[in-house]
């Protein structure tokens, strides 16, 4: 539970830090910013938007705010997503000119012999980022809609789920409603 609470409380920070990591994180390790930086100028804002939307939807759920923690599914998806972004920033190889071998943080740490592995890991991490981003967005949206469904249906139709449940338990038929609008449906 503590880990889910940490994820819940660090979502806003991650929304800002992770795109910055993709954009300029390599500079702090002595890696030059080359052609990949141009791609990062497009990818970092997209990552920011996805993270911001997921964070907003998560914080909109009453159950998440009440418990101060994300759900177990959210925790798994967010952890995988954050890890993939960190891996991508660590392993992505960048170069200024086509004749230069290119470097990454991994090649600085493990040597230039690790360059091919760095390419492969960065490619895999990039694909995982895209897959998990869409999956996480879809999951938190479904969780939000499921959580707010009864409230929205009650607001839109006037049906009270508790009253319907009590009637069903008492085995009395619920009153039927004529199709179309009736005078009570229109707000004055």
């Amino acid at each position: 539970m503590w880990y889910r609470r940490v994820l819940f409380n660090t979502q806003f920070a991650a929304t800002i830090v992770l795109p910055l990591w993709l954009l300029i994180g390599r500079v702090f390790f002595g890696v030059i910013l080359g052609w990949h930086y141009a791609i990062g100028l497009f990818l970092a804002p997209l990552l920011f938007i996805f993270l911001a939307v997921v964070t907003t939807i998560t914080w909109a759920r009453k159950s998440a705010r009440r418990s101060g923690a994300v759900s177990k599914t959210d925790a798994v998806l967010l952890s995988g997503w954050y890890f993939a972004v960190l891996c991508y920033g660590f392993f992505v190889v960048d170069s200024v000119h086509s004749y230069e071998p290119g470097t990454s943080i991994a090649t600085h740490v493990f040597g230039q012999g690790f360059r091919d592995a760095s390419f492969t890991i960065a490619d895999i991490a990039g694909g995982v980022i895209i897959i998990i981003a869409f999956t996480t967005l879809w999951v938190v949206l479904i969780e939000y809609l499921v959580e707010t469904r009864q409230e929205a249906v009650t607001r839109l139709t006037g049906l009270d789920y508790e009253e319907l449940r009590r009637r069903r338990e008492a085995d009395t038929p619920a009153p039927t409603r004529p199709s179309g609008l009736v005078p009570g449906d229109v707000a004055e």
Side-chain angles (χ1 to χ4, degrees):
M1 183 69 161
W2 67 270
Y3 183 69
R4 295 183 327 172
R5 286 185 182 174
V6 167
L7 281 175
F8 180 77
N9 291 318
T10 59
Q11 279 185 314
F12 286 114
T15 300
I16 295 175
V17 170
L18 291 176
L20 285 176
W21 166 252
L22 276 188
L23 200 58
I24 60 171
R26 297 179 309 278
V27 170
F28 298 110
F29 294 91
V31 178
I32 58 169
L33 294 178
W35 287 108
H36 188 281
Y37 184 72
I39 296 169
L41 288 173
F42 174 73
L43 295 178
L46 282 176
L47 179 64
F48 173 79
I49 290 168
F50 267 84
L51 287 168
V53 169
V54 167
T55 300
T56 303
I57 293 171
T58 303
W59 278 74
R61 291 194 334 246
K62 287 181 184 177
S63 63
R65 285 194 317 270
R66 195 176 320 118
S67 66
V70 297
S71 70
K72 291 178 183 178
T73 306
D74 294 345
V76 169
L77 289 170
L78 289 173
S79 297
W81 195 8
Y82 295 169
F83 182 72
V85 170
L86 292 173
C87 281
Y88 185 78
F90 186 80
F91 290 105
V92 67
V93 177
D94 207 352
S95 65
V96 177
H97 304 291
S98 60
Y99 57 83
E100 291 180 356
T103 59
S104 67
I105 298 172
T107 59
H108 275 265
V109 173
F110 302 117
Q112 200 61 16
F114 197 73
R115 185 171 172 265
D116 290 339
S118 190
F119 270 119
T120 304
I121 294 170
D123 289 344
I124 292 170
V128 169
I129 289 170
I130 293 167
I131 292 168
I132 292 181
F134 282 104
T135 304
T136 305
L137 179 62
W138 185 249
V139 166
V140 297
L141 184 60
I142 288 173
E143 287 175 339
Y144 174 76
L145 293 174
V146 166
E147 184 175 310
T148 60
R149 179 188 68 205
Q150 288 184 359
E151 180 181 312
V153 168
T154 301
R155 240 182 301 133
L156 292 173
T157 64
L159 295 175
D160 183 10
Y161 276 94
E162 286 299 315
E163 181 182 336
L164 291 173
R165 185 185 55 77
R166 280 185 297 226
R167 287 185 184 182
R168 198 175 310 128
E169 287 174 356
D171 211 22
T172 58
T176 58
R177 186 171 177 194
S179 62
L181 290 175
V182 293
D185 287 343
V186 179
E188 296 178 22

